Amino acid sequence: MPTYNRADVVFERGEGPYLFDTAGRRYLDFAAGVAVTAFGHAHPHLVEALTRQANKVWHTSNLFRVAGQEKLAERLVANTFADTVFFTNSGAEAWECGLKVCRKYHSATGNPQRWRVITFEQAFHGRTLTAISAAKQEKLVKGFGPLVDGFDQVAFGNLNEVRNAITDETAAICVEPVQGEGGIRVGDEDFLKGLRAVCDEYGILLFLDEIQTGMGRTGRLFAHEWAGIRPDVMAVAKGIGGGFPLGACLATEAAAVGMIAGTHGSTYGGNPLAMAVGDAVMDLVLAPGFLESVERIGERLRRGLDGLVETHPTVFAEVRGKGLLLGLKCIPANTDVVARLRDHGMLSVPAGDNVVRLLPPLIIGEEQVEEALAALGRVAREVGA
Ligand code: PLP
């Protein structure tokens, strides 16, 4: 179906932070498949993990134990707030599992009337009917109604609105610590701490969507760590598979109390191939010093972007984001900037609020930062002229 506005370019192969098209042209990949290929293309450790598993067993279903699931789940539990994990193939499925955990928790603990979830304006949680119903954005929902009921939306960052929206029916608050598709809008520490406090006060669950922000993207394993809070439920995807379709819903044992045998499932979720890659991704992201290096190079890129905003104030309005989840708010159309960058051999991703997202693989160095800043500078001179 023609549901995508695709750029007319076909990539044949990738190497680290670069992609090569069928004509042999090289592109600096600051799109990373929309924050997915966290370790660039054809990373030897990931290729080795996938091919090794491919020679053993691809798929057995969840009728049987899957050793790779047990190992990856244990590693996720050991490094996060979570006690338990459900594996999926995508972000939307991980998010939807999280939503089911939230509703089931209240039903299993004697409060079945608590089923509504507070969400935020400009949120994005995926493209299932429930996920678009939660986000409510016109461009996502138009023509797909009636929508799934049970979502009360308030302004991102506004704790007063959150408090006013809580009723006896509220089950959870669902938030992206940094809104990605919404335009790289960072939820500040006070806001996230405030949400945790409100959840504790009312006995409701804090459900984080870290599908885009997680797995090292912001310079911490998960973005909520910056605020020093712990969620009850969390959806993860994108970077965790490094390009192999993989998602996960993490939860505390208390929050997942209702998720007993038979309550949820997936044919492919936690497939041995995905688990092998996920485990290899964990090796890389947990390597000593890796997250610090993401933070450092993110700061370096950000300083360069701040410089571009200063030099080209008629083209770039501001820099947003954390770590290597960065956004440039544009004055000309962001889609024009993205297309021109591509012409100059650099890939980026448009986001809401006229922002260009810069989502490089987490392995970039000084050289790629310089290259990106040069391409952005060239585009700024072109459109600002
Ligand atoms: N939630 C967030 C914050 C996302 O950024 C995305 C994807 O962009 C999703 C959910 C949906 O993930 P997927 O496209 O893998 O279903």
Side-chain angles (χ1 to χ4, degrees):
M1 295 182 197
T3 63
Y4 298 106
N5 250 326
R6 297 177 194 271
D8 187 18
V9 53
V10 179
F11 298 112
E12 203 167 46
R13 67 186 182 90
E15 213 179 281
Y18 299 101
L19 275 169
F20 298 83
D21 71 11
T22 43
R25 181 161 186 219
R26 190 180 88 156
Y27 295 81
L28 177 65
D29 187 8
F30 269 43
V34 197
V36 168
T37 49
F39 294 91
H41 300 281
H43 192 292
H45 188 60
L46 303 188
V47 172
E48 207 266 327
L50 181 60
T51 48
R52 186 166 12 99
Q53 185 60 45
N55 280 307
K56 289 191 198 165
V57 60
W58 289 19
H59 182 79
T60 57
S61 86
N62 286 303
L63 297 172
F64 310 98
R65 285 177 57 190
V66 177
Q69 277 186 31
E70 293 174 13
K71 182 170 181 218
L72 182 54
E74 272 168 22
R75 292 185 89 180
L76 287 166
V77 164
N79 287 283
T80 65
F81 72 97
D83 303 310
T84 183
V85 181
F86 183 94
F87 289 109
T88 69
N89 315 289
S90 68
E93 288 168 276
W95 181 84
E96 190 121 359
C97 177
L99 181 75
K100 287 177 75 174
V101 169
C102 293
R103 285 195 179 177
K104 194 76 167 177
Y105 165 79
H106 289 289
S107 147
T109 55
N111 292 298
Q113 79 286 358
R114 286 189 176 271
W115 61 282
R116 303 189 67 84
V117 173
I118 294 175
T119 60
F120 293 89
E121 289 165 13
Q122 278 88 45
F124 184 80
H125 302 299
R127 295 291 195 134
T128 62
L129 192 57
T130 311
I132 62 172
S133 301
K136 295 187 196 263
Q137 289 184 49
E138 177 67 9
K139 66 179 182 195
L140 300 179
V141 302
K142 196 170 173 222
F144 290 117
L147 299 178
V148 178
D149 193 10
F151 298 100
D152 301 305
Q153 200 169 63
V154 300
F156 185 69
N158 191 325
L159 281 171
N160 287 335
E161 282 197 22
V162 170
R163 282 185 172 276
N164 288 337
I166 292 173
T167 70
D168 292 344
E169 294 187 334
T170 305
I173 298 172
C174 178
V175 69
E176 299 156 79
V178 180
Q179 288 190 330
E181 304 286 322
I184 314 292
R185 299 163 81 218
V186 180
D188 67 34
E189 265 183 40
D190 288 345
F191 175 55
L192 295 174
K193 283 193 172 113
L195 290 180
R196 178 69 271 175
V198 168
C199 285
D200 292 342
E201 185 180 336
Y202 289 93
I204 59 186
L205 299 177
L206 181 59
F207 170 21
L208 296 185
D209 181 340
E210 289 239 26
I211 288 166
Q212 189 156 158
T213 54
M215 294 308 291
R217 174 75 28 203
T218 69
R220 292 281 185 275
L221 187 56
F222 290 101
H224 66 266
E225 295 170 25
W226 286 105
I229 59 159
R230 291 162 78 83
D232 302 293
V233 182
M234 179 169 77
V236 181
K238 291 187 182 276
I240 192 173
F244 199 92
L246 170 58
C249 176
L250 278 61
T252 62
E253 199 169 358
V257 62
M259 303 302 285
I260 57 173
T263 55
H264 197 45
S266 164
T267 298
Y268 290 121
N271 158 301
L273 295 170
M275 295 301 96
V277 180
D279 189 46
V281 164
M282 287 299 271
D283 292 340
L284 299 175
V285 83
L286 295 175
F290 178 74
L291 292 169
E292 291 77 2
S293 77
V294 173
E295 192 183 348
R296 223 169 21 247
I297 201 76
E299 279 166 9
R300 170 69 193 90
L301 178 57
R302 197 194 175 100
R303 276 198 304 278
L305 297 174
D306 283 335
L308 281 175
V309 171
E310 245 174 67
T311 321
H312 304 282
T314 60
V315 182
F316 302 126
E318 65 168 336
V319 186
R320 301 171 176 178
K322 235 176 168 52
L324 287 172
L325 180 62
L326 292 169
L328 262 175
K329 183 163 166 71
C330 299
I331 292 161
N334 58 348
T335 46
D336 183 39
V337 173
V338 167
R340 285 171 186 270
L341 281 171
R342 195 170 56 247
D343 290 343
H344 285 283
M346 173 176 162
L347 306 177
S348 59
V349 188
D353 206 17
N354 207 35
V355 163
V356 170
R357 263 180 293 181
L358 302 174
L359 306 165
L362 308 181
I363 48 151
I364 57 161
E366 211 42 58
E367 190 186 331
Q368 286 79 37
V369 169
E370 292 306 328
E371 246 180 88
L373 294 173
L376 283 159
R378 279 196 291 277
V379 168
R381 283 190 292 280
E382 252 174 46
V383 297

